[in-house]
């Protein structure tokens, strides 16, 4: 158990809908990362938050957005869903401090199916 | 642009054998190279990691070999066990990009009893 929790575990929704994925980082970790895992794209970085602020952005679609709250949990919002958004979405956390690289620990993921 | 290339895509090893997975990277600014193990339906689990100031790191049956000049690193699993059957991902990151991980394509390892 990595200490990172994600809810829900599974999500089935229709095209055009909006969903919210939730992540709670390990105790003490200030940085949260979101990754998407699909069969054709592999594991891809989406976005990073550090202590409530957006720190880095990857190939995240404009239909997707995220935020990190004062209690450090994070939410990934996916809107106008398309069939191609079906994937596993992982959250990872790390202590992260500027000037150093720390280990990232992954949650169990949310499996999103868009029908 | 795929910045981390991983091979082989799949690997079958007999119990007790050595499993070797290779990765090559392009960006010389990468400063951290972890390996993750993923079982079906689970999140990637950090296995072992190395920084470019050392050429080898060993933890139990798992060893990372790192060749900075060739921009390559590899994972060796000694005395491979059926319980090691999983998908392995190499990755790389650099602090200047917020330490986001760039992953290889993954290797599906099967260890036969």
């Amino acid at each position: 158990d990595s200490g990172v929790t994600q809810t829900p575990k599974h999500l089935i929704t229709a095209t055009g809908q909006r969903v919210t994925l939730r992540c709670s980082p390990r105790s003490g970790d200030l940085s949260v990362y979101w990754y998407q895992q699909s069969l054709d794209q592999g594991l891809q970085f989406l976005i990073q938050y550090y202590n409530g602020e957006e720190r880095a952005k990857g190939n995240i679609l404009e239909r997707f957005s995220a935020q990190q709250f004062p209690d450090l949990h994070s939410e990934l919002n996916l809107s106008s869903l398309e069939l191609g958004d079906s994937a596993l979405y992982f959250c990872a956390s790390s202590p992260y401090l500027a000037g150093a690289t720390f280990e990232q620990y992954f949650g169990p993921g949310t499996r999103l199916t868009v029908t | 642009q795929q910045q981390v290339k991983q091979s082989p895509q799949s690997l079958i090893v007999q119990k007790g054998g050595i499993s070797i997975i290779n990765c090559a990277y392009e960006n010389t600014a990468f400063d951290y190279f972890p390996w993750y193990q993923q079982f079906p339906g689970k999140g990637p689990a950090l296995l072992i990691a190395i920084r470019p100031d050392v050429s080898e790191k060993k933890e139990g049956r798992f060893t990372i070999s790192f060749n900075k000049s060739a921009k390559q690193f590899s994972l060796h699993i000694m005395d491979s066990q059926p319980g090691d059957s999983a998908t392995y991902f190499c990755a790389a990151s650099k602090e200047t990009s917020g330490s986001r991980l760039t992953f290889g394509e993954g290797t599906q390892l099967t260890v036969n009893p």
Side-chain angles (χ1 to χ4, degrees), chain A residues 1-88:
Chain A
D1 184 359
S2 67
V4 178
T5 60
Q6 288 186 250
T7 57
K9 196 165 186 176
H10 302 278
L11 203 47
I12 301 174
T13 189
T15 54
Q17 294 299 305
R18 172 190 169 94
V19 296
T20 298
L21 312 182
R22 182 188 169 104
C23 167
S24 292
R26 295 186 320 156
S27 177
D29 284 356
L30 298 179
S31 192
V32 168
Y33 303 78
W34 286 96
Y35 294 87
Q36 180 193 57
Q37 185 174 34
S38 60
L39 282 174
D40 56 343
Q41 295 290 324
L43 268 162
Q44 298 274 326
F45 167 74
L46 294 177
I47 196 164
Q48 178 204 3
Y49 276 81
Y50 173 70
N51 204 19
E53 299 290 326
E54 183 183 302
R55 174 67 176 85
K57 221 167 183 176
N59 295 326
I60 187 168
L61 299 170
E62 284 191 12
R63 301 182 286 108
F64 295 2
S65 66
Q67 55 185 325
Q68 187 178 28
F69 295 87
D71 67 353
L72 300 178
H73 90 272
S74 177
E75 293 180 355
L76 179 67
N77 301 296
L78 316 177
S79 61
S80 302
L81 285 168
E82 302 175 359
L83 295 177
D85 297 328
S86 296
L88 273 164

Side-chain angles (χ1 to χ4, degrees), chain A residues 33 35 37 43 45 48 55-58 90 96 98-101 103-108, chain B residues 2 31-32 36 38 41-44 46 51 89 93-101 103:
Chain A
Y33 303 78
Y35 294 87
Q37 185 174 34
L43 268 162
F45 167 74
Q48 178 204 3
R55 174 67 176 85
K57 221 167 183 176
F90 290 105
Y96 178 72
T101 304
E103 296 83 0
Q104 289 184 34
Y105 295 91
F106 281 72
Chain B
Q2 180 62 42
D31 58 10
Y32 176 70
Y36 283 83
Q38 186 178 29
K42 304 290 185 184
L46 180 63
R51 299 184 190 274
F89 292 93
S93 71
K94 51 182 179 174
E95 185 279 332
T96 52
S97 293
S99 301
R100 70 175 91 173
L101 291 169
F103 284 92

